[in-house]
Amino acid sequence: MGATPNQLSVGQKAEVTWKNVPTQTITAGGVDFAYRELGKHNGGTPVVFLVHLAAVLDNWDPRIMDGIAARHHVIAFDNRGIGASSGSPSNSMEHMADDAITFIQAMGFTQVDLLGFSLGGMVAQEIVLKEPQLVRKMVLAGTGPAGGEGISTVGAVTFYDMLRGLFTGQDAKQFLFFTRTPSGIDAGKAFLERLKERTEDRDKEISVSAFIAQLQALRLWGLKAPADLSVVKQPVLVVNGDDDRMVPTVNSHDLARRLPNSQLIIYPDAGHGGAFQFHADFVRSTLDFLAH
């Protein structure tokens, strides 16, 4: 009988997934950062996820989180003033990067891989420029460089699609992240269902003030002079759909061209959320990229 509790605990450990992993908190720089981590037993370089505009921990696709955590130690967190994290939200990518660096260092990590989606990919670029020794590899999905085409008007596109969602009774992400073709619409519906899988210990929604601060940061980033990305020697995987309404796909091509050690994946009939629409391929490609 003595083996039974041990067998149970092994079974329970195996069942920890993105939908039930506990939310933890670490305090650094006067901020209580909320975070979740999976796959710690995998060891190796931790993969830190940097989330998109208006997003909290529950906005990460469970298939991507579980897929990467199958082989890597993954960590996602709410930056300062976002979701369950304390403090006032930052209104510039540079400050968001400083906060992210504070969190990463507080976790005791000396080197990480960064996976940044949309706004998170912009924060990732600032991190690697500020603290290059902290970053081993980066995955930049649905994002663009400082001064990139259409980035300063993301707010206008977002509000337009929020209204479209309101008037049609749909989640704005259906319009913002996916194409209006049958496959895009189906992919959007499937993605939104996956985001509902976690039913307990859900994160706090983003506050209006934090959302506005992020829109200010996006506008400033879009108006900023382009950075010299030739100094980024780390391997970078750039991913997007071929029809991104939020951060026009031309920006992904621009990033891949300007980053000297980059790979580019453009998914067909896909929008801003191409990584979510093609999550199985995205996980496979990311695992392959991080492995070498």
Side-chain angles (χ1 to χ4, degrees), residues 33-246:
F33 289 99
Y35 71 96
R36 295 177 191 155
E37 66 181 328
L38 282 173
K40 193 172 183 178
H41 60 276
N42 289 320
T45 306
V47 185
V48 176
F49 284 67
L50 301 161
V51 80
H52 63 82
L53 170 70
V56 295
L57 293 170
D58 295 326
N59 290 101
W60 282 114
D61 191 328
R63 299 299 174 275
I64 290 174
M65 305 308 288
D66 292 337
I68 306 298
R71 293 199 207 161
H72 295 269
H73 178 194
V74 306
I75 303 97
F77 73 105
D78 285 331
N79 216 331
R80 179 160 59 93
I82 307 298
S85 291
S86 70
S88 56
S90 304
N91 63 357
S92 76
M93 298 301 170
E94 295 85 350
H95 289 154
M96 289 180 203
D98 290 338
D99 294 333
I101 291 164
T102 297
F103 168 78
I104 289 165
Q105 291 175 338
M107 291 291 288
F109 303 145
T110 54
Q111 192 174 52
V112 297
D113 293 329
L114 296 176
L115 192 155
F117 174 60
S118 191
L119 177 142
M122 300 169 194
V123 176
Q125 292 172 61
E126 284 293 335
I127 293 171
V128 77
L129 291 170
K130 285 172 178 282
E131 299 283 348
Q133 78 291 341
L134 192 59
V135 181
R136 186 184 73 111
K137 293 185 176 185
M138 295 196 300
V139 180
L140 303 177
T143 194
E149 183 180 318
I151 294 175
S152 65
T153 57
V154 167
V157 175
T158 302
F159 282 123
Y160 175 72
D161 281 354
M162 284 171 73
L163 284 172
R164 282 212 289 178
L166 191 66
F167 287 122
T168 59
Q170 297 180 72
D171 191 305
K173 287 188 280 294
Q174 182 76 65
F175 298 99
L176 286 166
F177 285 10
F178 300 93
T179 56
R180 302 307 294 158
T181 65
S183 58
I185 291 167
D186 287 346
K189 288 176 181 173
F191 168 68
L192 292 169
E193 284 303 308
R194 294 197 297 275
L195 295 189
K196 297 175 187 172
E197 289 176 359
R198 186 183 181 97
T199 55
E200 295 178 19
D201 181 34
R202 285 183 68 87
D203 203 353
K204 288 182 184 175
E205 294 284 324
I206 192 166
S207 67
V208 173
S209 60
F211 179 51
I212 291 169
Q214 289 184 337
L215 288 173
Q216 289 172 339
L218 277 164
R219 178 168 165 75
L220 288 171
W221 176 264
L223 297 172
K224 188 178 174 180
D228 178 10
L229 297 178
S230 70
V231 301
V232 179
K233 305 304 182 190
Q234 288 87 341
V236 184
L237 177 63
V238 181
V239 179
N240 208 343
D242 64 357
D243 187 18
D244 188 341
R245 281 173 48 73
M246 288 195 79

